[in-house]
Amino acid sequence: MPGALTAQPEARTALTRALSAAGTGTPSGAADDSDTLSAVRAVVLPDVLADALDAEGTAVHRPELGSLVATVPGDPQARNEARQAVTAVDDEDVRLRSAVKARDGFFTTFCISPYSRYLARWCARRGLTPNQVTTASLLTALIAAGAAATGTRGGYIAAGVLLLFSFVLDCTDGQLARYSLQYSTMGAWLDATFDRAKEYAYYAGLALGAARGGDDVWALALGAMVLQTCRHVVDFSFNEANHDAVSNTSPTAALSDKLDSVGWTVWVRRMIVLPIGERWAMIAVLTAVTTPRIVFYALLIGCAFAASYTTAGRVLRSLTRKAGGTSQAKLWKRTDRAAQALADLTDSGPLAEAVAGGFTKRAPSLPAFAPFLIALAGGAAVVATAAFTDYGSPWPAVAAVAYVITSGIAVARPLKGALDWLVPPVFRAAEYCTVLALAARAEVNGALPAAFGLVAAVAYHHYDTVYRIRGGTGAPPNWLVRVIGGHEGRTLAVAVLAALVTNEHFTIALTVLAVAVALVVLAESIRFWVSSGAPAVHDEGEPA
């Protein structure tokens, strides 16, 4: 059969209907198999089926050929022309260009990819694998963090250079995988998780280096990690909430499409979200020429602006959707699959589930925006109480109990509202910021570094949840969420510890909790990704 068409499982019913409509059985009047074959060859059947699927509203992906040639010649002359066109294609040039991601940031596209693809080819010709390059990128970043931890100007300069080289290798591993067609679940998972490990290890290195010089910036380092993680959760949560939508009819989306039609606005919009390339370049340069405090100030300001821009765009899209008709209205109805993904992203533990069970019957009567507003109120209350009361006060623990209740109410019904995708980011910010505030109020050496370790361990769990969902395997097992308490259980535990133990013992408690969470989460994550056949998916923010 000329041509090719594949269908995902959820589209196979539509494919069956398209096959029936196309009349792919024995054509009328076909006396034998040769007549049937000739009748089928009279048309390019996959093209006919694709058009039929399009007509009934099933999305069809057609790969962009670029300079490649794909045609079904119908006569000797067309066949000869097709062969000449194929011969004229420079396969090596196509492989090199295809190794580079079509959509990337400005810095990566113009400052890294022009030469990193040749480095990828060099690695391929010497038998190096993408996983080896990914590991080399991690080791380089860890050495950069070690150099930053020295606290000397020479160490900072070396750290900046090594961080940039680590990013070059980070681009090279993916280009090597595409160039040599070496794809693997393990490779995708390593690439996704190592990016976070590299960046957060570098933050810790900068904080250690600053401490050597007498400047305590651990709160800034932890704040940068919290902000960066919450930014990603906003992206992930919004994308999962709209996973099943095939178009966007909101005025905001129309404006976005219009801006994307102008060349320079595309690059500006990609740069202001501060993707990994621009972010690491800024960190590297500022590390070499300024101080860790200035690096974190710039990082916090840049990430805060990027988060505000992307979140505002997503909120506007959610609030200005249009349902132009019955068929269009179906596109905007939140599906059960999307609601389940949002529920998994909330990371609700047994306490929130128990509260949610008691409010299930009353939940449908709540206003449309109630889950988001209830989650926001509970999260803001516990963070504010932790930040503005003295260490050892019982009030943060009381606020944490209220947070458990509001968290349960927020997830008592399926998250299908227009702004329900904001519930997981609110939970992330509430938990992380509560830990940060309580550690800062302890005012004892070691509390903030211990809090940094705890948030890093929990953040890994949340990233791992995202990668599993986007890989099509669902959330981590329920026993894992229960063992580590859920976001509300951990928040309550930290608040109670702060009320019951001394400053010094609080540091020890945070350290023990961080190690315990890290061991359980890492063990289950490694077991899953080593044995799973599912793809790990990772992408950073997109323009609003």
Side-chain angles (χ1 to χ4, degrees):
M1 182 188 297
L5 182 144
T6 61
Q8 298 291 342
E10 59 269 21
R12 287 177 184 164
T13 301
L15 176 62
T16 301
R17 291 196 299 267
L19 283 165
S20 299
T24 55
T26 302
S28 177
D32 52 34
D33 290 343
S34 61
D35 290 338
T36 302
L37 186 58
S38 298
V40 171
R41 284 178 174 171
V43 294
V44 181
L45 184 59
D47 289 348
V48 174
L49 297 178
D51 291 340
L53 291 170
D54 265 336
E56 75 163 34
T58 301
V60 176
H61 171 68
R62 293 175 171 84
E64 295 184 7
L65 295 175
S67 58
L68 295 176
V69 178
T71 183
V72 182
D75 54 67
Q77 180 179 351
R79 186 178 300 111
N80 183 54
E81 292 174 352
R83 285 172 176 166
Q84 291 177 0
V86 170
T87 303
V89 174
D90 186 340
D91 292 347
E92 179 62 16
D93 180 65
V94 171
R95 289 181 67 191
L96 274 177
R97 285 189 286 107
S98 300
V100 178
K101 288 199 307 188
R103 181 184 177 89
D104 226 329
F106 180 89
F107 179 76
T108 304
T109 300
F110 295 102
C111 300
I112 303 297
S113 293
Y115 60 87
S116 62
R117 56 184 173 182
Y118 294 102
L119 178 58
R121 182 173 65 180
W122 182 89
C123 293
R125 291 177 174 177
R126 281 152 184 81
L128 297 177
T129 67
N131 289 355
Q132 290 172 332
V133 177
T134 301
T135 303
S137 176
L138 173 66
L139 293 176
T140 304
L142 294 179
I143 295 173
T150 62
T152 64
R153 178 52 51 194
Y156 289 148
I157 293 174
V161 173
L162 287 170
L163 186 64
L164 284 177
F165 183 61
S166 173
F167 182 65
V168 172
L169 293 176
D170 185 50
C171 295
T172 300
D173 62 1
Q175 292 167 356
L176 173 59
R178 287 183 286 273
Y179 178 83
S180 59
L181 302 181
Q182 298 183 69
Y183 302 107
S184 69
T185 297
M186 175 65 74
W189 173 68
L190 290 177
D191 185 50
T193 55
F194 281 8
D195 279 350
R196 303 285 73 78
K198 289 181 286 189
E199 187 165 2
Y200 298 157
Y202 193 81
Y203 292 175
L206 284 175
L208 289 171
R212 288 180 176 271
D215 189 12
D216 186 356
V217 296
W218 275 106
L220 296 177
L222 180 51
M225 181 168 65
V226 169
L227 181 56
Q228 186 61 26
T229 303
C230 290
R231 271 189 63 200
H232 286 153
V233 176
V234 168
D235 293 337
F236 295 141
S237 187
F238 179 81
N239 290 336
E240 287 305 314
N242 295 278
H243 175 83
D244 299 315
V246 296
S247 64
N248 192 331
T249 57
S250 72
T252 308
L255 175 61
S256 179
D257 293 339
K258 184 177 180 179
L259 291 174
D260 277 345
S261 66
V262 182
W264 66 271
T265 62
V266 174
W267 294 115
V268 170
R269 280 153 51 79
R270 292 187 190 181
M271 292 173 66
I272 62 177
V273 299
L274 208 63
I276 188 170
E278 278 74 0
R279 191 167 68 249
W280 282 26
M282 180 185 74
I283 294 172
V285 172
L286 290 179
T287 298
V289 301
T290 63
T291 65
R293 180 171 290 273
I294 294 177
V295 173
F296 286 123
Y297 281 152
L299 192 59
L300 287 168
I301 293 172
C303 287
F305 177 80
S308 300
Y309 168 73
T310 54
T311 304
R314 285 158 170 71
V315 169
L316 287 174
R317 289 190 184 205
S318 301
L319 294 177
T320 58
R321 293 172 176 171
K322 292 182 179 180
T326 303
S327 61
Q328 196 71 356
K330 290 181 180 179
L331 298 178
W332 290 120
K333 184 179 179 180
R334 189 84 75 224
T335 64
D336 291 336
R337 185 262 183 210
Q340 183 59 53
L342 291 180
D344 292 335
L345 287 174
T346 63
D347 190 34
S348 297
L351 296 178
E353 289 179 351
V355 173
F359 280 85
T360 301
K361 294 182 179 180
R362 301 179 184 178
S365 63
L366 294 174
F369 296 155
F372 163 63
L373 294 177
I374 292 172
L376 182 63
V382 69
V383 172
T385 306
F388 296 108
T389 58
D390 292 333
Y391 178 82
S393 168
W395 290 113
V398 174
V401 172
Y403 176 67
V404 170
I405 297 173
T406 56
S407 297
I409 297 174
V411 298
R413 72 180 187 195
L415 298 176
K416 294 187 176 183
L419 294 182
D420 285 357
W421 58 271
L422 283 170
V423 173
V426 167
F427 287 161
R428 295 297 81 76
E431 178 183 0
Y432 299 163
C433 289
T434 299
V435 175
L436 168 58
L438 291 173
R441 297 297 292 177
E443 297 180 347
V444 62
N445 289 335
L448 282 168
F452 187 96
L454 175 59
V455 172
V458 175
Y460 177 88
H461 164 62
H462 291 144
Y463 278 111
D464 188 56
T465 300
V466 169
Y467 301 149
R468 294 194 194 208
I469 293 173
R470 293 180 72 94
T473 62
N478 193 45
W479 69 261
L480 176 64
V481 178
R482 289 180 173 275
V483 166
I484 61 177
H487 70 94
E488 81 289 351
R490 291 186 298 270
T491 303
L492 178 62
V494 173
V496 170
L497 286 171
L500 296 180
V501 303
T502 64
N503 308 52
E504 292 77 11
H505 289 159
F506 184 60
T507 299
I508 298 174
L510 286 180
T511 303
V512 171
L513 187 58
V515 172
V517 171
L519 289 176
V520 173
V521 168
L522 281 173
E524 163 57 20
S525 178
I526 293 172
R527 180 208 64 78
F528 174 80
W529 289 111
V530 168
S531 61
S532 172
V537 182
H538 174 66
D539 54 0
E540 291 214 24
E542 301 171 356

